[in-house]
Structure formats: structure tokens, C-alpha cells
């Protein structure tokens, strides 16, 4: 017979890992070696390039001449107008803080800086979304018109929304849709209520926290802010 407490602990760990995966953002770290070689001559202006990050996929539009337009959250955009600083490759710290303050730019980087050592897929969205793409030149022109600072939202305005608008004329993000579905799964799972109660009780016993008021006061507004 299974131990109920062990089952609850296992479930809680599973939920925490899922939430961690949902919010994890992969990006270039300072000092990381970039050793991959890319056949840029095989890319056409207007192609959609995609590269895997830690738990997500990052997208950009190839503009030709080893240049990629892509949306990147960046905290520095809210702090300075110095292009010498903001044009440097965005590190993980800048990226994650940019997500929190919801500021980004549609910027141009080299293919190497865009991919940062990851393998590149070309126009993979055409197959996965089964949508008819616009003419490549129109795709590139749309991307170039949107260059500059923009607002950012994980769910409503991310790099995938940017490339799907340029490529297909409509802003969609299967990654954001999957995130919402995973959140619904967590909410619908009745066992999560018990796991949350156990965690709250443990907090009160070990730390003396009034978790039934403290945690909702912090966690719920933060989630609403990130989802906005």
C-alpha cells in the first residue's frame, strides 16, 4: 500500500517541476562558447529560423546578409538609451528581468548570436501550423517595419507572435497555448489542493508563516502580472 504522504510529496515535486519548466527561459550566458557553424547561404530572406532554448523555442526572421530579426526581452531598454549597451547580446539576467518588466525589442543580430550554438530549423512552422506563408520578401519587409522597442508578454506578445505575424499575417503562439493548457491541468487536478494544503501546513509549522494569506498575496498578483 502506498504511503499517502509520500504520494502527496511526489505530486508536489511534480507540480513544482512543471511550474519551473513553464517559467524557465533559456538564453545566452556570458562567456559561453559558440562553436557551431551555420550555412547562412542556405537561408533565404524571409525564412523563419527557430532554435531550442532550455524549455522553449526561440524564433526569428532571416533578413539576409547573416542578419536575423527577433524579439528579445531586455531590462536595459527600460534603464538606458545607450545603444552601445543595449545592442550587446542579451544575457539570461537581462532577458529574465526584461520579461518581468515586460519590455523588449525587435532587434537584428547575426545568425551566430541569434542561435548561440543551437541547431537551427528553417520554416518548420509552415509544417507544424499547416498555414500558407506570405511571399518571403513580404515577410522580411514586415519584420523590418517592426524593428525597435516593443512591449512584451509571455502569453500575448512573444517572439513566436512576432514571426507568425510576419510569416502568416496573424499573431499566434502554440507555445503560449500549451502553457495555458498546462496551467488548466494543474488547476483541474483535485490532488493539487491537498498538495498545496500540505505545503501551507509545513510552512506554518516550520517557518511560522500565515501561508493562507502570504502566498496568495504574492503568487497570484505575480502570475496575473506575467500573464498580462
Amino acid at each position: 500500500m502506498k504511503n499517502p504522504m509520500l504520494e502527496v510529496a511526489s505530486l508536489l515535486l511534480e507540480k513544482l517541476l512543471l511550474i519551473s519548466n513553464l517559467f524557465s527561459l533559456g538564453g545566452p550566458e556570458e562567456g559561453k562558447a559558440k562553436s557551431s557553424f551555420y550555412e547562412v547561404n542556405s537561408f533565404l530572406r524571409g525564412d523563419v529560423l527557430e532554435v531550442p532554448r532550455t524549455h522553449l523555442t526561440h524564433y526569428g526572421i532571416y533578413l539576409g546578409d547573416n542578419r536575423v530579426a527577433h524579439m528579445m526581452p531586455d531590462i536595459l531598454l527600460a534603464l538606458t538609451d545607450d545603444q552601445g549597451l543595449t545592442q550587446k547580446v542579451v544575457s539570461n539576467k537581462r532577458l529574465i528581468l526584461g520579461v518581468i518588466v515586460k519590455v523588449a525589442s525587435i532587434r537584428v543580430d547575426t545568425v551566430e548570436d541569434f542561435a548561440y550554438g543551437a541547431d537551427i530549423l528553417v520554416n518548420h512552422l509552415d509544417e507544424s501550423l499547416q498555414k500558407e506563408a506570405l511571399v518571403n520578401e513580404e515577410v522580411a519587409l514586415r519584420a523590418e517595419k517592426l524593428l525597435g522597442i516593443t512591449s512584451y508578454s509571455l502569453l500575448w506578445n512573444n517572439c513566436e507572435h512576432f514571426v507568425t505575424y510576419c510569416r502568416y499575417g496573424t499573431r499566434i503562439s502554440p507555445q503560449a497555448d500549451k502553457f495555458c493548457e498546462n496551467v488548466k491541468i494543474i488547476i483541474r487536478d483535485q490532488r493539487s489542493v491537498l498538495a498545496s494544503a500540505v505545503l501551507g501546513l509545513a510552512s506554518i509549522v516550520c517557518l511560522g508563516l500565515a501561508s493562507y494569506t502570504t502566498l496568495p498575496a504574492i503568487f497570484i498578483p505575480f502570475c496575473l502580472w506575467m500573464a498580462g
Side-chain angles (χ1 to χ4, degrees), residues 71 102-105 148-153 157-158:
M71 180 186 290
K102 297 165 43 170
V103 61
S105 68
I149 297 177
T150 183
S151 60
Y152 184 84
S153 168
N157 191 37
N158 60 40

Side-chain angles (χ1 to χ4, degrees), residues 8-24 186 192 195-196 199 219:
V8 169
S10 176
L11 172 66
L12 180 59
L13 179 60
E14 174 188 339
K15 298 301 181 184
L16 290 174
L17 288 174
L18 177 57
I19 293 173
S20 174
N21 287 346
L22 290 175
F23 283 102
S24 293
I186 294 174
S192 296
S196 299
L199 179 61
F219 187 69

Side-chain angles (χ1 to χ4, degrees), residues 9-48:
S10 176
L11 172 66
L12 180 59
L13 179 60
E14 174 188 339
K15 298 301 181 184
L16 290 174
L17 288 174
L18 177 57
I19 293 173
S20 174
N21 287 346
L22 290 175
F23 283 102
S24 293
L25 288 173
E29 292 282 8
E30 297 91 335
K32 179 181 177 182
K34 296 176 286 185
S35 58
S36 295
F37 175 77
Y38 301 102
E39 292 284 354
V40 295
N41 291 333
S42 65
F43 304 147
L44 300 177
R45 176 172 161 84
D47 280 348
V48 171

Side-chain angles (χ1 to χ4, degrees), residues 105-172:
S105 68
I106 298 172
R107 52 184 284 149
V108 176
D109 285 304
T110 64
V111 170
E112 290 76 16
D113 286 341
F114 163 76
Y116 220 82
D119 294 332
I120 297 177
L121 292 177
V122 182
N123 296 330
H124 182 66
L125 283 176
D126 291 356
E127 179 180 350
S128 61
L129 297 181
Q130 296 184 342
K131 286 186 172 291
E132 184 177 354
L134 300 173
V135 177
N136 269 37
E137 183 61 23
E138 174 64 20
V139 175
L141 290 174
R142 281 173 174 249
E144 289 170 340
K145 288 179 181 178
L146 293 175
L147 294 177
I149 297 177
T150 183
S151 60
Y152 184 84
S153 168
L154 279 171
L155 298 185
W156 317 122
N157 191 37
N158 60 40
C159 64
E160 196 168 18
H161 290 107
F162 162 64
V163 299
T164 53
Y165 168 76
C166 294
R167 183 77 174 174
Y168 312 109
T170 181
R171 297 179 184 272
I172 54 177

Side-chain angles (χ1 to χ4, degrees), residues 23 100 217-227:
F23 283 102
I100 293 174
I218 297 174
F219 187 69
I220 294 176
F222 178 75
C223 288
L224 293 174
W225 171 254
M226 294 299 295

Side-chain angles (χ1 to χ4, degrees), residues 163-185:
V163 299
T164 53
Y165 168 76
C166 294
R167 183 77 174 174
Y168 312 109
T170 181
R171 297 179 184 272
I172 54 177
S173 175
Q175 289 186 110
D177 294 342
K178 182 178 179 181
F179 173 89
C180 292
E181 287 302 316
N182 285 333
V183 170
K184 289 179 183 178
I185 291 172

